[in-house]
Amino acid sequence: MDPSAITQVIRNRRTVKPGQMSDSGIDRGIIEEILANANWAPTHGMTQPWRFTVFEGPSRQALADFLAATYKAITTPESFKQTKYDKFRVNPTLAGAVIAVGMKRQEIQKITELDEIMAVACAVQNMHLTATAHGLGGFWSTNVAAMSDQMRDFIGLAPPDRALGLFYVGHVAGEWPESDREDVATKVRWA
């Protein structure tokens, strides 16, 4: 293996929000590769808690309608924001595909919920890196509607399972975003 290749993918990965994506479809084989690589994430006790529901084509509008209705239902009138509601109604239609991310709890719950959440997070990172390797933008959205019990039910899970957001994936409209980081030495202590 060439270590510089993985370093390049990691450092080129960007959060690309739906408004920065084109709504053109994504090859099914690429989506399947994204999901297959997610399946290779680390997992305590081999529980493999990640669950995915893929929305593409017309089902993206059904997801958008669901998100908007859920946001309205679970938000108090005082905290309701029309602009946020409007974004829920359109964001899923802006990406080539949206993948709902769920966590299926182990029946005996020997592995902690936090360990399961971290395993799913690793799966999402694998998804993001695979999308990047294909020149696609990705965005993991963990908003109130995407993490709700209603979303959990919508994607076919049940308590104590959890919905852990939406992963938007799409072709970048325009230039690939630039980014940088502080030097890692500012975040490391050698003991």
Side-chain angles (χ1 to χ4, degrees):
M1 285 191 216
D2 177 8
S4 65
I6 189 66
T7 296
Q8 182 180 1
V9 171
I10 289 169
R11 293 182 184 179
N12 206 31
R13 185 216 53 81
R14 297 288 177 273
T15 293
V16 178
K17 294 191 175 180
Q20 300 168 288
M21 295 179 181
S22 91
D23 66 353
S24 57
I26 298 166
D27 181 86
R28 174 69 61 96
I30 293 173
I31 294 173
E32 288 172 350
E33 182 181 342
I34 287 169
L35 297 170
N37 287 349
N39 196 45
W40 281 93
T43 170
H44 279 32
M46 288 298 290
T47 61
Q48 303 176 50
W50 41 81
R51 298 295 184 272
F52 305 110
T53 303
V54 180
F55 297 88
E56 54 184 353
S59 69
R60 294 171 304 151
Q61 185 61 59
L63 175 61
D65 294 341
F66 170 81
L67 288 169
T70 300
Y71 172 70
K72 192 170 192 175
I74 65 176
T75 305
T76 64
E78 303 81 53
S79 59
F80 180 85
K81 292 182 174 68
Q82 186 66 42
T83 55
K84 196 171 215 177
Y85 175 83
D86 293 342
K87 282 185 179 181
F88 281 126
R89 289 193 55 80
V90 71
N91 274 351
T93 67
L94 301 177
V98 184
I99 303 169
V101 179
M103 178 197 65
K104 177 83 173 150
R105 287 290 280 141
Q106 178 188 38
E107 257 185 62
I108 62 170
Q109 296 186 17
K110 177 181 176 186
I111 305 301
T112 69
E113 183 179 42
L114 182 57
D115 282 329
E116 300 287 54
I117 291 169
M118 290 187 291
V120 174
C122 288
V124 173
Q125 177 71 352
N126 284 1
M127 294 165 67
H128 215 147
L129 295 174
T130 305
T132 299
H134 283 282
L136 298 170
F139 172 56
W140 187 9
S141 176
T142 54
N143 64 66
V144 64
M147 302 270 293
S148 67
D149 290 345
Q150 291 86 337
M151 176 59 80
R152 177 201 59 215
D153 298 344
F154 185 69
I155 61 174
L157 297 173
D161 307 335
R162 293 182 60 175
L164 294 178
L166 300 168
F167 186 74
Y168 291 81
V169 61
H171 298 278
V172 177
E175 297 295 314
W176 192 260
E178 293 291 322
S179 187
D180 61 5
R181 296 288 191 272
E182 289 177 22
D183 190 302
V184 72
T186 65
K187 302 168 189 138
V188 176
R189 179 178 162 265
W190 295 89

